[in-house]
Amino acid sequence: MNTPGMNPLAAQLADIIEPAPIGWFPPAWGWWVLLVLSLAVIGAATWWVRVWLQQRRLLLVADTLLDQALKQYQTTQDSQRYCQSLNQIMKRYWKACAPTATHVLSLSGSDWVEAVLHAAPSSGLSQNTQQALAEGAYQPLHELKVNDLDQDVRRWLRKAKPAHIRRASLEPEHV
């Protein structure tokens, strides 16, 4: 099919072959980066939620125990028993956060109060609360402000994050 004005070499050329469409696999490198970042975010979020739920459970148990101790105190008016209960609740919380910190759990008196303050210095434990925690389990306290003591211990439980307690447990110079 030679038409006038057409180059004879052009007639020998074949038609243009269309390339195959691009497949969905393997994806481009950007999709791999997005996948890795997505997995990292999902993993970090899962870890954070797990830690948050664990801490929340610990706080709920501690709140329940504090409520029981307060009711028992209101029934018996035994300040020594109440102070012992508060120390036991705080030590149970400490043990749940740092199970290997047995040296801290064996402390009592002013050494225990120093460890408590070191774990959560921003908790703002009053002098009366510190005295009750240090001495209240061993001698009756006549000027015991139960509501203030209860609120101080609850505030300490919320401020003393498990990571702070673990860190305080590893620093023996403060304990």
Side-chain angles (χ1 to χ4, degrees):
M1 208 166 143
N2 204 354
T3 59
M6 184 170 184
N7 188 347
L9 294 176
Q12 297 174 357
L13 293 176
D15 287 336
I16 296 176
I17 300 173
E18 296 281 331
I22 298 174
W24 66 273
F25 194 84
W29 66 270
W31 290 106
W32 289 109
V33 170
L34 182 64
L35 175 69
V36 168
L37 288 176
S38 298
L39 290 175
V41 167
I42 289 170
T46 302
W47 175 81
W48 183 83
V49 166
R50 185 178 154 266
V51 167
W52 182 79
L53 286 174
Q54 178 186 16
Q55 182 180 359
R56 188 76 186 142
R57 271 193 304 270
L58 288 173
L59 287 174
L60 288 174
V61 168
D63 278 343
T64 303
L65 292 173
L66 284 171
D67 291 339
Q68 290 173 357
L70 185 60
K71 284 179 187 175
Q72 183 180 13
Y73 173 77
Q74 290 169 344
T75 303
T76 63
Q77 296 294 314
D78 185 0
S79 64
Q80 285 179 285
R81 179 75 179 147
Y82 182 63
C83 291
Q84 286 173 348
S85 297
L86 294 180
N87 279 324
Q88 287 174 349
I89 292 166
M90 293 171 78
K91 286 184 179 187
R92 285 180 69 178
Y93 182 77
W94 194 298
K95 185 176 182 177
C97 295
T100 60
T102 55
H103 63 285
V104 177
L105 301 175
S106 65
L107 296 175
S108 61
S110 60
D111 292 336
W112 167 242
V113 172
E114 185 180 331
V116 165
L117 290 173
H118 182 65
S122 66
S123 64
L125 292 180
S126 68
Q127 284 298 112
N128 290 337
T129 300
Q130 292 178 32
Q131 180 185 8
L133 292 175
E135 302 168 3
Y138 308 110
Q139 59 187 0
L141 298 174
H142 303 291
E143 297 292 324
L144 186 65
K145 297 179 181 174
V146 178
N147 290 333
D148 293 343
L149 185 56
D150 183 65
Q151 292 305 315
D152 279 355
V153 171
R154 288 177 195 272
R155 187 178 330 109
W156 180 84
L157 287 170
R158 279 165 183 58
K159 298 266 182 171
K161 306 290 184 207
H164 297 152
I165 290 177
R166 283 190 293 274
R167 191 175 313 118
S169 298
L170 296 175
E171 298 173 359
E173 66 272 3
H174 296 286
V175 185

